[in-house]
Amino acid sequence: SKVVHQQWRMQEEAQKLGELLQATAVNESAVLAQVDRVLGIEREVKRAHMTLLVRIKNTLTREQQAMLKGLRDAT
């Protein structure tokens, strides 16, 4: 649920960025600050995804991990 919330937040911040860029004269410092906000949220989402993947892998047995590797290699 944390990731979903962050994705919504990122979408809202990206929309704000788009609005800033629509101006005839773009405020560079405002745009760059907004880009930093969007990238920060994106980093949090990616970190949460990686955390989830690591936790899932750590719950699998060696046999399950080997089976997963075999499935990946087959594709």
Side-chain angles (χ1 to χ4, degrees):
S1 66
K2 178 183 176 183
V3 171
V4 172
H5 173 72
Q6 293 295 71
Q7 286 176 326
W8 280 105
R9 218 175 113 216
M10 185 169 58
Q11 184 177 6
E12 291 169 3
E13 295 299 329
Q15 184 176 355
K16 290 177 188 176
L17 176 60
E19 291 168 5
L20 288 171
L21 293 170
Q22 292 299 317
T24 303
V26 177
N27 181 330
E28 182 178 349
S29 62
V31 167
L32 294 177
Q34 190 63 27
V35 166
D36 287 341
R37 282 191 281 281
V38 171
L39 293 176
I41 296 167
E42 184 179 23
R43 180 190 171 284
E44 291 174 23
V45 168
K46 288 181 178 183
R47 189 174 196 283
H49 280 141
M50 186 56 66
T51 300
L52 179 61
L53 291 173
V54 168
R55 287 180 182 171
I56 289 170
K57 182 174 181 178
N58 286 339
T59 61
L60 298 176
T61 64
R62 286 185 185 269
E63 293 79 19
Q64 290 170 323
Q65 287 183 28
M67 184 185 305
L68 181 59
K69 184 180 182 320
L71 291 171
R72 277 196 208 127
D73 291 344
T75 57

